[in-house]
Amino acid sequence: MESTAKVQSIRGGFKAEREFGFALAERFKTTDLDLSGVDTEGVALVIEIGDPRRLNLHQLSRVLVGAAKGGVKTAVIHFPSKGLATAVPLFNLFAMVDENSRLKEMRKLEAAIRTGV
């Protein structure tokens, strides 16, 4: 039986898909994924990031909010090119993305103030 639901390719530089929590250990066994601090009872959101420089934080935050509304509690961030994966609670990931997004906006505002635009 296929454990993944639907893969969503989004223009934000990442792919998001739902995965059953019990299948995470088998899927990421080569990356030594630590699942001790996350909920593996339900569905998890797996986010594959190809190139971090092309990552659109706004699009990622919208996907995370939608997943949270759907009851997803766990997020797995996967960098397939480097063979890295980490599992975090979805709310913690959203907080990190939101903070980085705000910092990016503040840097743009600061640059605009400095240049007088």
Side-chain angles (χ1 to χ4, degrees):
M1 182 171 131
E2 184 68 27
S3 63
T4 60
K6 179 181 174 185
V7 177
Q8 295 178 348
S9 284
I10 299 179
R11 291 187 309 178
F14 63 94
K15 290 190 299 186
E17 63 182 302
R18 293 181 305 254
E19 178 83 47
F20 290 115
F22 62 83
L24 291 174
E26 181 66 27
R27 179 174 175 181
F28 295 104
K29 64 183 173 186
T30 59
T31 60
D32 297 328
L33 182 64
D34 181 23
L35 297 171
S36 60
V38 295
D39 179 22
T40 57
E41 295 295 319
V43 178
L45 182 70
V46 177
I47 301 165
E48 289 187 7
I49 301 172
D51 184 9
R53 289 176 285 176
R54 295 179 179 247
L55 184 63
N56 185 329
L57 294 176
H58 178 71
Q59 290 291 334
L60 181 57
S61 67
R62 290 178 64 196
V63 169
L64 294 175
V65 168
K69 286 181 182 178
V72 176
K73 296 179 183 173
T74 302
V76 177
I77 306 154
H78 184 219
F79 294 94
S81 60
K82 301 194 187 277
L84 299 172
T86 186
V88 294
L90 188 70
F91 180 75
N92 291 0
L93 178 60
F94 176 75
M96 288 185 280
V97 168
D98 188 48
E99 180 181 357
N100 283 328
S101 180
R102 288 186 185 186
L103 286 173
K104 188 176 179 180
E105 289 174 10
M106 291 296 182
R107 282 188 298 239
K108 284 182 182 178
L109 181 61
E110 181 182 357
I113 291 171
R114 266 196 242 147
T115 59
V117 175

